[in-house]
Amino acid sequence: MTGRDTGPRQTPADIEAEINREQRRLAETLDQLSVQARPANIARRQVERARERGARIVDEARALVVGGGAVRVESRPVEPEEGSIVVKGDNEVVTTYQSRGQLPPEAVILAVTVGAVVAAGVVAWAVRRRR
């Protein structure tokens, strides 16, 4: 026996079976990619991202106004166990909060300025409407 003949030899049937397995795996991967690349699915993912960002901004604004001590950093759905059936709306969500420290003076000045501008706009609108 020479050094090249140390491993077991594959039969043509073994090689064909391996090729078939790889073709099935490749076909499944292509199917998954085609589902992910559908415009409707891309749009859905973008809307979900925008909602998450919007929810975070709303939470931060609420914490700023109310004076809460924590701000939501991240929320993400938990993937279900393999083989389980998930009904729409049954996703579990994990949310991470971070303690909010002292606000920088720039943020306070900005918030007060925006509030004053909005209040002045509402007053001007109400006065104009009465005339």
Side-chain angles (χ1 to χ4, degrees):
M1 204 179 229
T2 65
R4 291 184 297 187
D5 295 331
T6 58
R9 292 197 116 356
Q10 286 185 321
T11 65
D14 292 338
I15 294 171
E16 185 177 351
E18 185 177 347
I19 290 171
N20 288 337
R21 279 193 305 273
E22 289 301 316
Q23 284 177 337
R24 279 193 301 272
R25 189 181 64 80
L26 181 61
E28 289 172 3
T29 302
L30 290 174
D31 288 342
Q32 291 171 354
L33 288 173
S34 70
V35 167
Q36 289 178 359
R38 286 186 187 143
N41 292 340
I42 292 171
R44 181 182 44 78
R45 285 194 304 269
Q46 293 299 329
V47 167
E48 287 173 4
R49 285 185 193 142
R51 282 186 183 153
E52 289 172 5
R53 289 181 187 139
R56 181 174 179 204
I57 290 170
V58 167
D59 285 348
E60 288 177 359
R62 185 178 300 130
L64 223 163
V65 171
V66 176
V71 176
R72 185 174 74 178
V73 175
E74 172 192 25
S75 287
R76 60 181 167 74
V78 176
E79 292 297 321
E81 294 179 25
E82 189 166 329
S84 63
I85 298 173
V86 178
V87 178
K88 186 174 183 178
D90 281 353
N91 296 342
E92 290 187 37
V93 177
V94 174
T95 303
T96 306
Y97 289 91
Q98 181 178 18
S99 177
R100 186 168 54 94
Q102 189 71 13
L103 285 176
E106 298 85 17
V108 174
I109 292 170
L110 178 64
V112 169
T113 305
V114 168
V117 169
V118 169
V122 169
V123 168
W125 175 77
V127 168
R128 184 176 237 183
R129 190 155 191 210
R130 279 191 184 168
R131 290 183 189 180

